[in-house]
């Protein structure tokens, strides 16, 4: 194999590798999201015991919600009601019916 043939093979191989790495994958869409209620408690709330009011799959939709969070130190908000824009206390059914969509796609100059 002479030098020109070897150089041509290397250039073709590099072009194929560049072509395969440059294409981005489309966004992955999933409808199998698991609800995660980190600081939200349902029905009852305790300032001392974190397990009280934990939301499970069996929690009824009409259960009123409380915010039990350590965020905002040094004055954390413990067991404050989660309120709707009209001032009424939010229920689990209202909390879980919120929907939204987003998609992210990698492109050559960043993210779209």
């Amino acid at each position: 194999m002479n030098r020109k043939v070897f150089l041509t093979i290397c250039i073709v191989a590099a072009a194929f590798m560049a072509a395969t790495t440059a294409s981005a994958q489309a966004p992955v869409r999933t409808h199998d999201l698991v609800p995660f209620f980190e600081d939200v408690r349902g029905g009852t709330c305790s300032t001392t015991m974190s397990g009280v009011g934990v939301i499970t799959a069996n929690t009824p939709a009409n259960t009123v919600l409380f915010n039990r969070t350590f965020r905002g130190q040094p004055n954390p908000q413990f067991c404050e009601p989660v309120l709707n824009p009209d001032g009424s206390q939010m229920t689990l059914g209202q909390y879980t019916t919120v929907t939204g969509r987003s998609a992210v796609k990698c492109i050559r100059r960043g993210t779209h």
Side-chain angles (χ1 to χ4, degrees), residues 38-77:
E38 182 178 352
D39 294 329
V40 177
R41 296 294 183 263
T44 185
C45 186
S46 172
T47 58
T48 57
M49 297 181 356
S50 63
V52 173
V54 172
I55 297 171
T56 66
N58 297 326
T59 304
N62 63 350
T63 303
V64 292
L65 300 181
F66 296 92
N67 180 13
R68 186 182 190 283
T69 182
F70 287 97
R71 293 172 184 83
Q73 294 288 354
N75 297 318
Q77 298 296 314

Side-chain angles (χ1 to χ4, degrees), residues 5-49:
V5 172
F6 181 72
L7 184 58
T8 303
I9 291 173
C10 289
I11 291 173
V12 169
F16 279 125
M17 285 191 292
T20 59
T21 58
S23 63
Q25 294 180 350
V28 176
R29 293 177 185 11
T30 180
H31 299 287
D32 299 328
L33 298 177
V34 176
F36 183 66
F37 307 101
E38 182 178 352
D39 294 329
V40 177
R41 296 294 183 263
T44 185
C45 186
S46 172
T47 58
T48 57
M49 297 181 356

